[in-house]
Amino acid sequence: MSTEPDMNAVVGTHDILLLTLDTLRFDVADELARAGRTPHLARLLPDGGWERRHAPGSFTYASHLAMLAGFLPTPAAPGPHPRLFAAAFPGSVSTAPRTWTFDTPDLASGLAGAGYHTACVGGTGFFNRRSAVGSVIPDMFAESHWEESFGVADPRSFENQVARAVRIAGERPADQPLFLLLNASALHQPNWFHLPGATPGDGDTPESHAAALEYVDRHLPPLLAAMSARRPCFAIVCSDHGTAYGEDGYTGHRIGHETVWTVPYTHAFLPRGRTAPVHAEEATP
């Protein structure tokens, strides 16, 4: 059986969660999963662990615009690779029979046209509505949320974001499916405060990046439970880009470096009212 689900059967029957773990590097995610340090995320992974993919952009804004046009991170192997979602346009070689296509400019408005309520819980500055560019992505959604406690500088950002997402899911009518984007900011710099004993002078490191991922993992279960409480949920969990911590002299992202372009990806089905996910190869759609 194909490991790619038929999204034409998923859309309309499932809630859809797009959880972007902003700035998460593949190597860090993979190492922690193999070491058993992210047990809740591990339940969303197939037997082979995180899938190695290439990001569609090297920083948050570019990558999210691409993902919301249907260009999720691409498998790191020769393609073409069929996509889950695709904006309809002539000549697309990655649109396949199992791809759900939409005629609008972005996935959120396409799903809204299919009856979904669309909601965004932002994290990084491109979601904060403090500028025109910080309003582009939130404007795609029927409702959007951002506050200081969701941002990169708050040590409790992810648990605050999850609490808001749980509230959003709980307030929706039972007969209306939900598309939720949660842009988790905890991995983004600064992340030094997630490493026990670290000080501002220590700065951000791969170790504090890993500690931030462990923090996200600890607070993930309420989000998954809320998104599968009303109907089954199709969850996509991935990074939008990675970041460099001094490799080859590079620091940060918005650069063409392996640490930035290579990202972790997974998707899984969350059956209604169950905590154990079902992976694509086991699912009916």
Side-chain angles (χ1 to χ4, degrees):
M1 181 181 296
S2 171
T3 59
E4 293 300 318
D6 184 351
M7 296 307 296
N8 297 291
V10 171
V11 171
T13 61
H14 290 61
D15 281 348
I16 298 173
L17 169 67
L18 175 56
L19 173 59
T20 57
L21 303 176
D22 204 294
T23 318
L24 176 59
R25 291 169 48 138
F26 175 82
D27 56 353
V28 171
D30 184 59
E31 178 183 350
L32 265 61
R34 294 181 185 279
R37 292 169 58 185
T38 49
H40 301 299
L41 283 166
R43 296 171 65 195
L44 299 173
L45 306 180
D47 289 342
W50 286 104
E51 183 180 356
R52 181 190 298 266
R53 291 202 174 195
H54 291 150
S58 62
F59 67 109
T60 299
Y61 184 71
S63 189
H64 278 80
L65 287 182
M67 287 192 283
L68 287 168
F71 297 97
L72 294 169
T74 307
H81 300 283
R83 289 185 286 142
L84 299 178
F85 308 101
F89 67 93
S92 172
V93 298
S94 54
T95 301
R98 298 166 74 90
T99 303
W100 187 76
T101 59
F102 49 95
D103 292 320
T104 62
D106 60 84
L107 178 60
S109 59
L111 288 170
Y116 278 75
H117 179 71
T118 63
C120 170
V121 178
T124 61
F126 288 113
F127 296 84
N128 66 15
R129 290 193 178 276
R130 291 180 171 176
S131 64
V133 74
S135 301
V136 171
I137 299 172
D139 280 348
M140 296 178 183
F141 293 82
E143 65 172 299
S144 64
H145 302 260
W146 187 92
E147 55 190 54
E148 290 285 352
S149 68
F150 299 170
V152 299
D154 195 309
R156 300 183 61 184
S157 62
F158 188 65
E159 56 203 281
N160 295 333
Q161 290 180 297
V162 167
R164 183 62 53 85
V166 168
R167 191 183 87 186
I168 292 168
E171 291 175 347
R172 298 316 306 160
D175 60 349
Q176 184 179 33
L178 171 66
F179 170 49
L180 175 70
L181 166 64
L182 194 158
N183 168 247
S185 64
L187 280 300
H188 196 282
Q189 71 266 20
N191 56 46
W192 61 267
F193 43 72
H194 289 293
L195 188 65
T199 67
D202 296 321
D204 299 336
T205 63
E207 290 74 28
S208 62
H209 190 89
L213 183 59
E214 291 180 292
Y215 158 72
V216 166
D217 185 80
R218 288 195 297 273
H219 295 280
L220 182 63
L223 174 65
L224 302 182
M227 287 301 297
S228 59
R230 302 177 312 135
R231 61 175 49 77
C233 176
F234 182 70
I236 301 166
V237 183
C238 64
S239 176
D240 56 342
H241 59 79
T243 199
Y245 288 104
E247 293 87 356
D248 299 316
Y250 290 102
T251 299
H253 39 274
R254 202 165 57 82
I255 53 175
H257 192 271
E258 176 70 16
T259 57
V260 175
W261 286 112
T262 307
V263 295
Y265 174 94
T266 193
H267 60 238
F269 288 93
L270 308 176
R272 181 183 179 186
R274 287 174 51 192
T275 58
V278 176
H279 299 289
E281 61 269 22
E282 307 169 46
T284 299

